Amino acid sequence: EDQVTQSPEALRLQEGESSSLNCSYTVSGLRGLFWYRQDPGKGPEFLFTLYSAGEEKEKERLKATLTKKESFLHITAPKPEDSATYLCAVQTQGAQKLVFGQGTRLTINP
Amino acid sequence: NAGVTQTPKFRVLKTGQSMTLLCAQDMNHEYMYWYRQDPGMGLRLIHYSVGEGTTAKGEVPDGYNVSRLKKQNFLLGLESAAPSQTSVYFCASSFYSYNEQFFGPGTRLTVL
């Protein structure tokens, strides 16, 4: 059974304090790994798709990386507006749907 | 473009009542999805559609029905609501299954 586990469940940082969020996955064959951001009371917003081990993508203060077993979302010098829940999802070969992790709730204090 | 819209935003039902949630997208996407999101459970797929006139079961389909009569609309029905169906419901759409999904703003449903 395909599984996605995100850690930590919650993370509190000071503004400017860099850190990483983890997404570990167990799938039969990875087609793609997706990162989303979700603000309270809103729907998830797409950030990145990674397809193969070694791939990296960046957007402002965020960088996503992928290995054969996990993905990291690195946040550099975060600001309070980066506070949100970050969701990871995987799609396996031949599947038509995503399997989501439970998310990491990130809080950046000014 | 409005993207993905959902109607209604909030709803309170009594046990046994029925209702329909409407999802609409204006991006000409082939794929549409219905999820529910519960604390500690993450997003779970209820039903999805790979094109107009098609539907398929997801991870938690029991107690729900769906229809996709038009490409741009995907309806989620609850025939006899139960308290266990209290949740936030999200609709999403994508061009193809391997593309990123675009989500609507959600519907908060409470069943008393």
Side-chain angles (χ1 to χ4, degrees), chain A residues 1 31-32 34 36 38 41-49 51 85 87 91 95-103, chain B residues 31 33 35 37 40-45 48 50 56-59 90 97-106 108:
Chain A
E1 183 180 334
R31 189 179 200 182
F34 299 77
Y36 287 83
Q38 186 175 22
K42 297 189 176 181
E45 177 186 346
F46 170 75
L47 292 173
F48 306 107
T49 309
Y51 293 105
T85 295
L87 304 173
Q91 186 178 37
Q96 294 174 320
K97 50 189 185 287
L98 300 179
V99 176
F100 280 84
Q102 295 184 355
Chain B
Y31 287 70
Y33 311 83
Y35 293 91
Q37 188 173 42
M41 301 293 290
L43 279 161
R44 293 182 293 170
L45 183 66
Y48 64 100
V50 303
K57 293 181 179 180
E59 182 184 354
F90 288 101
S97 63
Y98 50 82
N99 294 122
E100 65 271 21
Q101 295 180 15
F102 293 83
F103 283 79
R108 185 173 294 275

Side-chain angles (χ1 to χ4, degrees), chain A residues 38-99:
Chain A
Q38 186 175 22
D39 292 303
K42 297 189 176 181
E45 177 186 346
F46 170 75
L47 292 173
F48 306 107
T49 309
L50 302 167
Y51 293 105
S52 57
E55 190 175 0
E56 298 183 352
K57 289 194 176 173
E58 290 188 63
K59 179 180 180 180
E60 296 181 355
R61 295 175 292 281
L62 298 175
K63 183 170 78 171
T65 61
L66 181 65
T67 72
K68 290 186 177 180
K69 294 183 178 181
E70 58 192 348
S71 176
F72 291 94
L73 185 65
H74 306 278
I75 182 161
T76 303
K79 299 181 178 182
E81 53 262 42
D82 294 321
S83 296
T85 295
Y86 291 86
L87 304 173
C88 167
V90 298
Q91 186 178 37
T92 57
Q93 297 288 348
Q96 294 174 320
K97 50 189 185 287
L98 300 179
V99 176

